[in-house]
Amino acid sequence: MAVTGWLECLRAAEKTALLQDGRRKVHYLFPDGKEMAEEYDEKTSELLVRKWRVKSALGALGQWQLEVGEPAPSGAGSLGPEFIKENNANPIFMRKDTKMSFQWRIRNLPYPKHVYSVCVDPKERCIVVRTSNKKYYKKFSIPDLDRYQLPLEESSLSTAHANCTLIISYQKPKEVVVAESELQKELKKASLGDSSRIVSSIHFLPPEAAASTKTRLLSSRPWSPSFPGEGGKFLQGLLVPPGGEGQGGGGAK
């Protein structure tokens, strides 16, 4: 029942999507104001990025919080090399799932495999990682299982270690695999202009705009079901090239 509940929550959310640079990018806006953004590999449907953003008590938008994907490089966007940056030798924690497993990678852990202990804490509903030499400790949850309200099973855990990277895998319950498969089918078959607001950016852009990786979505209004006219003009002012904001708000010109 909980699995169905989360699926229905996703279906009810206001969705906007586009295809860009070989990725299917989907933005969800939930009734409570929370936002979720996901990126999938267009060919394999592998989840590459998932992040969340919530509003503060005063209604201000917060920072995006990464749940799945490669974290931003340490020091990115810093004011200059003179500022102190995080040591690149520090452990780097990230999540990168496969179709059948939730998977985490912790880089810069040079110790042999027998040093690591990875287990499930059922009371706190999290996974605990520690080393016998007391050099590293971390615990983290699996938000997907919380959303689906499914238990954590010790038997689903497995680990590997290579190239100074500890790889932790948790086999996805069959309920999650089925639910994710159903969601992917819906995202792929969603037609232009339906209530899910699924739009494609690449096939409806003029050549000069399609060539730019900076093309972005200007509005989340429903896409017109008609095709653009000769010359690939914009529909509903939805998709604009960089600097083309002035075209938004109207139909094709």
Side-chain angles (χ1 to χ4, degrees), residues 99-118:
K99 281 193 173 182
M100 302 306 295
S101 298
F102 304 120
Q103 193 173 93
W104 301 264
R105 295 168 184 260
I106 310 177
R107 298 171 181 163
N108 297 333
L109 288 181
Y111 319 114
K113 185 179 178 181
H114 72 267
V115 170
Y116 306 99
S117 169
V118 182

Side-chain angles (χ1 to χ4, degrees), residues 159-204:
T159 61
H161 187 268
N163 301 319
C164 296
T165 300
L166 179 66
I167 303 172
I168 304 168
S169 300
Y170 186 98
Q171 185 177 353
K172 292 179 180 178
K174 61 181 180 180
E175 296 93 337
V176 173
V177 175
V178 171
E180 290 180 345
S181 177
E182 289 182 10
L183 180 60
Q184 284 302 311
K185 289 178 182 178
E186 291 188 15
L187 291 176
K188 288 179 180 179
K189 73 181 181 182
S191 59
L192 295 178
D194 70 5
S195 59
S196 294
R197 298 179 174 178
I198 302 296
V199 301
S200 173
S201 66
I202 299 303
H203 306 315
F204 302 99

Side-chain angles (χ1 to χ4, degrees), residues 128-180:
V128 180
V129 183
R130 54 168 58 91
T131 58
S132 58
N133 58 11
K134 300 183 179 180
K135 296 291 186 179
Y136 185 81
Y137 176 88
K138 186 174 184 65
K139 60 181 181 180
F140 55 92
S141 63
I142 308 179
D144 308 70
L145 296 188
D146 293 336
R147 289 189 285 266
Y148 287 117
Q149 298 182 26
L150 294 172
L152 274 73
E153 304 287 348
E154 188 88 35
S155 58
S156 297
L157 269 180
S158 61
T159 61
H161 187 268
N163 301 319
C164 296
T165 300
L166 179 66
I167 303 172
I168 304 168
S169 300
Y170 186 98
Q171 185 177 353
K172 292 179 180 178
K174 61 181 180 180
E175 296 93 337
V176 173
V177 175
V178 171
E180 290 180 345

Side-chain angles (χ1 to χ4, degrees), residues 237-251:
L238 279 170
L239 290 160
V240 297
E245 285 83 349
Q247 298 181 24

